[in-house]
Amino acid sequence: MCGIVGYIGEEQAAPILLDGLAKLEYRGYDSAGMAIYDGEKINIQKSMGRLKVLSELTHDGSTMPGCIGIGHTRWATHGEPSDANAHPHFNESKTIAVVHNGIIENYVKLKKKLTDKGYQFLSETDTEVVAHLLDYYYKKNEEKPDRIIETITKVMHRVEGSYALGIIFQDQPDRVYALRKDSPLIVGKGAHGNLIASDVPAVLKYTRDVYFIDNEEIACLTKEEISFFNSDGESIEKTSKRIDWDINAAEKGGYEHFLLKEMYEQPKTVRDTLNPRIKDGQIVIEELGMTDEEICAINRIHIVACGSAYHTGVTAKYIMEGLARIPVEVDLASEFRYRNPILQKNDLVIIISQSGETADSLAALREAKEQGITTLGIVNVVGSSIAREADRVMYTWAGPEISVATTKAYSAQLIAHYLLAIHFAKVKGMITDEKVADMITELKALPAQIEMLLANKEKIQKMANRYVGAKDVFFIGRGIDYAIGLEGSLKLKEISYIHSEAYAAGELKHGTISLIEEGTLVISLVTQKDLYLKTISNIVEVRSRGAVVFAVTNEDNTEIEKNADYVIYVPQTNKYFTNSLAIVPLQLFAYYVSIGRGCDVDKPRNLAKSVTVE
Ligand code: G6P
C-alpha cells in the first residue's frame, strides 16, 4: 500500500507533492513525508499522522523550496507508524532519498549484509535497506559511464518482493528516478514538469498524458524529458496513454465525504457500466472476445477476489449458476493462491478488483495463467496490473473511487456479473430472447431505482441515529440476501468500528443465536421471494430472543411488518438484481452510524484502499 509521488519541473515541488499525496491518501495515511532538493542539498520533512500534519509542518510546502522532490503517504508494514519510520529515507550521507510502496521481502538478509559493512540504520523499515544499498552500489560503480542506471539495476536485482520506488540523488539534481515491480507506478508528462505517482488521480491536475510503468522498468525524468530502461539498463521506448477521466471525479464536489459522493454516483456508475454493453436490445460484451463455442465449453468458473469484490463474487455465484447453470466456485484470493486449486481445461478464472493492484488477486491471476487457464479481469482502474495481465478485461466504468470503503465500484461489479451471467445463459440456450429482453428492461430501471433509494434517506438516518451506540449487529439472509448481508456487514464494521457479522439465516441457530440479547440489532435481508417464509422464521427466532429487527425487503412483502421493528422497502426488480437495490440502505445506514460516532468515514483506521501487500 502506501502512495508515492515525485515531481521535477519549473514549479515549486512541495505544493505539487502535497496535492498529489492528498489524492493518494486513500492508499495509507499513518505518516507522510517529502524530500526536496533545494539547489544544494536534499532536505527531508516527515511526520507520523495524516498528511495535514506534514502540510502544517512545512507551511503547505513553503518551508521546503526547490523544484525537484519525492513524497510518500504511508500504511505501515515494517515498523510502527512513527517519525523515524516515515518515508523518505536517506542514505547515511543524506545524498540519496528514497520513497517506497511495497515490501522488500529479503530486507533482513540485506540489512545484515549492510550492517556488516558498517551501515547504520535509523528506522525499522524494510525500505531503508534500499537507500543504503543504492549508496553502496553508487560508490562501487563510480567508474561506470552510466553510474546511476548501473546502480539502480544492481539494486533491482538484489531486492526481492514488491516495490514502486521514487529516488533522488544529490549528485544528479536534474533527475528523478522511479522503478517498479508488482506495485503500481505511473509517470505523467506535464507541460511545466514531469511527475511520478502510484495512481493516476495524483497527476490529473497537471497532465492527462500518462505512461504505465511495467514490472522491472525504470523511468528517468528530467524537467523536459522522460526516458525508460529495462532491468538490464537498456533504453526502451514506451507510449503514453491519454486519460479521459473527469478530473472532478477525484474531488469531493460539495459532498462532505467521498464515501457519500460515491454512493450518490452509483446510478451513473450503473448506467456507464451497463449502457455500452446493450446494443439493439442484446447484451454485447465485445471485450470478452469469447466465441459461443468457447462459452458453451466452459466447464467451471472460479471467481477470485478480496473484500467487497469477493462479496460481488458470492452474489455472482447464485446468478451464474441460476441462469447459465455453470458451476461457480468463489474464493478469497489470499486463500486461492495457497490452496493448490484444481483448475481444469475449459475452466474460466474471473478476477474481480476495483484497483487492479490487490497483491493477492494479482497473484491468483498469475497462478491461473501459469496453469494455462483463461482469465478474465473485472477491473475498474484502466491500465492497472490485473487489467494488463488478464487474458480478457471487462472494465467497470465507475471512475476514480477515493473512499477506502467501496460503494460505486461494488455496484459496477454487480452489473458486470449480471451482464456476464445473462450473456452466458443466452449463448447456452438457457434463457429465451424474451427473457433477455425483460431482464434488460429491469437492468435499465436500476439507476432510477437506486436514485429513489438514495433520495429517501431520512428514515435510514433516523434509525442510524438510534444505533450509534450499538455493540454488535448481525446481518441475516439466505441466498443472494446472504451475499448482500456480507457486504452490508463489512460496510458497517469497517467504517463505524461496531462489531458486526453476516450469517446465512438458516445457519444462525448453529451458534450465533446465542449472541442475541435483548435489544441486539439484527438486519434481515428478505428480497428473495421463494425464501421469504424461511427467512421470516429466522426473524421470528431472533425476535423472540429480544432482537430488534430491521428488515430490507421488496415492496410486495408488506406482511413482514408484523415481524420486523423497522422496514425499508426496495423497488421491485428481477430476483437476481436485488443486491443492487438492497445494498443502498445498508450503505446509508453504515455511513450515518459512523458519522454519528464521529468516525473518519473516508479513511477508517488501519485500512487502505489498495492492498498491494499480502
Ligand atoms: C480493500 C478495500 C476494499 C476492496 C478490497 C479489494 O480492502 O478497502 O474496498 O474491496 O481492498 O480491493 P480491489 O481493489 O481488489 O477491489
Side-chain angles (χ1 to χ4, degrees):
M1 303 129 69
C2 307
I4 69 165
V5 287
Y7 173 79
I8 178 163
E10 291 159 14
E11 319 273 334
Q12 286 297 301
I16 294 176
L17 297 182
L18 285 171
D19 181 68
L21 290 175
K23 306 286 177 349
L24 297 179
E25 235 193 330
Y26 72 84
R27 304 179 64 86
Y29 32 80
D30 60 44
S31 37
M34 292 188 286
I36 310 269
Y37 176 70
D38 68 4
E40 278 178 23
K41 60 181 189 324
I42 300 172
N43 299 302
I44 285 185
Q45 287 283 4
K46 53 184 185 170
S47 171
M48 186 179 144
R50 297 277 164 100
L51 185 61
K52 71 174 189 327
V53 179
L54 180 69
S55 299
E56 281 162 18
L57 191 70
T58 61
H59 296 261
D60 293 327
S62 62
T63 61
M64 295 188 80
C67 302
I68 300 164
I70 50 178
H72 190 266
T73 178
R74 181 167 187 245
W75 187 87
T77 56
H78 294 66
E80 59 176 10
S82 70
D83 290 356
N85 290 335
H87 299 212
H89 291 284
F90 260 145
N91 62 334
E92 273 179 11
S93 53
K94 301 191 173 175
T95 52
I96 304 172
V98 178
V99 288
H100 170 218
N101 163 213
I103 291 182
I104 307 298
E105 287 171 359
N106 59 340
Y107 86 102
V108 175
K109 198 168 117 202
L110 292 173
K111 192 168 178 175
K112 165 97 181 47
K113 284 199 172 159
L114 288 160
T115 314
D116 291 348
K117 289 188 192 307
Y119 282 91
Q120 287 187 4
F121 284 75
L122 302 177
S123 78
E124 301 151 298
T125 64
D126 51 332
T127 306
E128 202 181 346
V129 298
V130 178
H132 295 312
L133 210 55
L134 282 165
D135 178 273
Y136 175 72
Y137 285 114
Y138 192 61
K139 286 179 181 148
K140 233 181 151 187
N141 284 328
E142 199 167 354
E143 305 301 321
K144 298 266 172 71
D146 208 347
R147 188 179 176 191
I148 297 244
I149 294 296
E150 282 280 343
T151 301
I152 291 177
T153 51
K154 194 74 200 172
V155 169
M156 220 167 177
H157 293 133
R158 292 299 308 276
V159 297
E160 288 164 18
S162 60
Y163 50 82
L165 291 162
I167 310 165
I168 51 174
F169 293 82
Q170 188 171 297
D171 282 10
Q172 307 277 329
D174 53 352
R175 283 170 165 70
V176 169
Y177 290 90
L179 58 148
R180 80 152 214 159
K181 183 177 159 274
D182 293 342
S183 291
L185 178 68
I186 58 122
V187 171
K189 184 159 183 45
H192 305 288
N194 296 318
L195 303 107
I196 62 164
S198 298
D199 196 1
V200 173
V203 305
L204 272 188
K205 196 162 155 189
Y206 311 97
T207 180
R208 288 175 174 278
D209 295 318
V210 162
Y211 295 92
F212 290 93
I213 308 303
D214 280 316
N215 266 349
E216 303 196 325
E217 287 181 352
I218 302 162
C220 168
L221 287 68
T222 65
K223 241 175 15 176
E224 296 88 12
E225 281 175 7
I226 304 169
S227 41
F228 302 99
F229 303 87
N230 64 17
S231 58
D232 294 324
E234 294 158 351
S235 180
I236 52 169
E237 293 296 318
K238 286 186 80 73
T239 347
S240 63
K241 285 207 170 67
R242 186 101 187 134
I243 305 290
D244 54 10
W245 285 354
D246 175 6
I247 189 162
N248 297 324
E251 307 285 342
K252 275 191 204 151
Y255 285 88
E256 205 178 331
H257 299 103
F258 279 111
L259 182 63
L260 191 64
K261 175 179 176 249
E262 287 161 7
M263 273 192 240
Y264 277 81
E265 283 172 350
Q266 290 180 109
K268 177 177 180 326
T269 294
V270 166
R271 263 186 217 109
D272 291 350
T273 305
L274 185 65
N275 289 354
R277 281 132 182 166
I278 297 179
K279 292 188 181 133
D280 302 325
Q282 298 291 325
I283 288 171
V284 183
I285 312 174
E286 273 158 11
E287 63 272 45
L288 192 60
M290 289 179 92
T291 63
D292 289 359
E293 289 68 38
E294 282 168 332
I295 291 171
C296 290
I298 295 173
N299 173 53
R300 184 176 294 272
I301 295 176
H302 304 261
I303 300 182
V304 188
C306 301
S308 298
Y310 167 78
H311 295 159
T312 69
V314 178
T315 307
K317 175 181 168 72
Y318 292 105
I319 305 173
M320 187 61 85
E321 290 187 343
L323 282 176
R325 305 305 295 155
I326 303 173
V328 178
E329 281 182 27
V330 194
D331 270 88
L332 289 163
S334 52
E335 290 297 311
F336 179 86
R337 59 183 293 196
Y338 294 118
R339 78 166 166 83
N340 195 9
I342 301 169
L343 302 176
Q344 289 168 326
K345 194 170 163 268
N346 294 335
D347 281 2
L348 172 68
V349 170
I350 302 180
I351 308 284
I352 317 161
S353 176
Q354 187 285 128
S355 63
E357 299 293 349
T358 302
D360 284 318
S361 304
L362 185 58
L365 168 77
R366 289 179 181 158
E367 166 75 34
K369 282 185 80 177
E370 224 157 76
Q371 295 198 34
I373 306 299
T374 305
T375 54
L376 166 68
I378 297 182
V379 180
N380 194 43
V381 177
V382 177
S384 56
S385 300
I386 294 175
R388 281 180 296 156
E389 292 189 28
D391 298 316
R392 314 272 153 75
V393 188
M394 193 173 168
Y395 280 113
T396 49
W397 298 114
E401 194 180 56
I402 310 294
S403 167
V404 168
T406 181
T407 50
K408 63 173 182 170
Y410 170 87
S411 282
Q413 285 164 1
L414 288 175
I415 298 298
H417 290 304
Y418 303 158
L419 290 169
L420 270 182
I422 300 170
H423 180 58
F424 284 3
K426 173 71 199 353
V427 169
K428 289 187 70 190
M430 300 301 215
I431 49 174
T432 60
D433 281 342
E434 223 176 20
K435 180 82 188 151
V436 173
D438 286 350
M439 290 181 118
I440 289 177
T441 308
E442 284 161 317
L443 284 175
K444 283 188 161 173
L446 287 175
Q449 292 172 327
I450 297 172
E451 252 153 39
M452 199 197 83
L453 286 161
L454 287 164
N456 295 328
K457 61 177 191 319
E458 278 75 20
K459 191 168 175 186
I460 305 273
Q461 226 171 331
K462 272 191 206 142
M463 257 184 52
N465 289 342
R466 272 184 220 138
Y467 288 93
V468 289
K471 192 161 71 66
D472 303 291
V473 179
F474 294 89
F475 288 72
I476 61 170
R478 290 166 180 260
I480 288 177
D481 285 334
Y482 168 53
I484 303 170
L486 286 171
E487 177 61 9
S489 168
L490 177 62
K491 275 302 81 91
L492 180 68
K493 69 183 139 195
E494 69 180 336
I495 61 173
S496 73
Y497 316 143
I498 293 175
H499 164 253
S500 82
E501 279 184 48
Y503 246 77
E507 182 66 12
L508 203 64
K509 47 179 120 18
H510 298 287
T512 316
I513 201 159
S514 66
L515 301 176
I516 305 290
E517 295 172 354
E518 195 61 37
T520 304
L521 181 62
V522 175
I523 301 185
S524 311
L525 285 311
V526 202
T527 72
Q528 301 299 298
K529 201 169 192 151
D530 44 345
L531 297 168
Y532 279 176
L533 294 178
K534 299 281 170 206
T535 308
I536 286 176
S537 306
N538 302 126
I539 292 178
V540 173
E541 287 161 10
V542 292
R543 259 192 131 199
S544 59
R545 285 160 180 84
V548 175
V549 171
F550 161 27
V552 179
T553 192
N554 301 324
E555 278 162 351
D556 67 355
N557 189 18
T558 48
E559 271 296 292
I560 198 135
E561 306 238 352
K562 293 185 198 135
N563 299 299
D565 301 273
Y566 308 91
V567 182
I568 291 287
Y569 291 104
V570 297
Q572 221 63 44
T573 185
N574 186 290
K575 68 170 181 175
Y576 290 123
F577 309 153
T578 57
N579 193 343
S580 292
L581 302 179
I583 196 60
V584 177
L586 303 188
Q587 293 169 340
L588 287 167
F589 183 73
Y591 175 78
Y592 286 114
V593 168
S594 309
I595 295 295
R597 289 166 68 87
C599 299
D600 183 348
V601 293
D602 280 340
K603 298 187 191 102
R605 69 181 177 216
N606 303 339
L607 295 180
K609 185 154 191 72
S610 186
V611 183
T612 51
V613 295
E614 276 188 49

